[in-house]
Amino acid sequence: MNLSDFAKQLPKNFTEQEFVDLMNQVIDLKTIADLPAAERSALFNGVQYLVDFIMLAQEANGELLTHQGHPVVDYGGPFIPHFLVRPEGFEMDRTALETFGVGEADKYFGNK
């Protein structure tokens, strides 16, 4: 499966597990943590390029979300608690490398 297929097959009201299951059909998530650093960096560059390109397409198509004049990036997948988004006071936890983020948000933000 490629990313375009992922986008077409992801249900409108998907669960975290459905999201991860479909992503695993695009790329074997288990292998990412064990990739050589250069390959993981190249993969990151490819994904970041897609993020930037998609955000430009959203802006060009009038789909950019804002709050009080500031852009808002809408994300609905499982929470991955990395150093940029992990709440202050929490230490790095490798569990998300096994769970792929399923249920991780509850640890940090409670059951909302």
Side-chain angles (χ1 to χ4, degrees), residues 37-47:
E39 289 179 25
R40 197 171 34 254
S41 180
L43 183 60
F44 178 86
N45 289 339
V47 172

Side-chain angles (χ1 to χ4, degrees), residues 46-110:
V47 172
Q48 184 62 51
Y49 171 83
L50 285 174
V51 167
D52 292 342
F53 194 81
I54 290 168
M55 289 177 74
L56 178 60
Q58 288 174 330
E59 182 181 8
N61 291 315
E63 302 162 354
L64 183 65
L65 300 175
T66 59
H67 176 71
Q68 297 179 345
H70 299 284
V72 175
V73 178
D74 190 27
Y75 170 73
F79 179 68
I80 303 295
H82 60 79
F83 65 97
L84 292 176
V85 297
R86 187 173 45 248
E88 192 173 322
F90 285 90
E91 296 293 321
M92 192 273 299
D93 181 354
R94 298 178 62 87
T95 305
L97 293 173
E98 301 297 323
T99 65
F100 309 116
V102 174
E104 292 294 313
D106 290 344
K107 290 185 198 177
Y108 296 90
F109 307 109

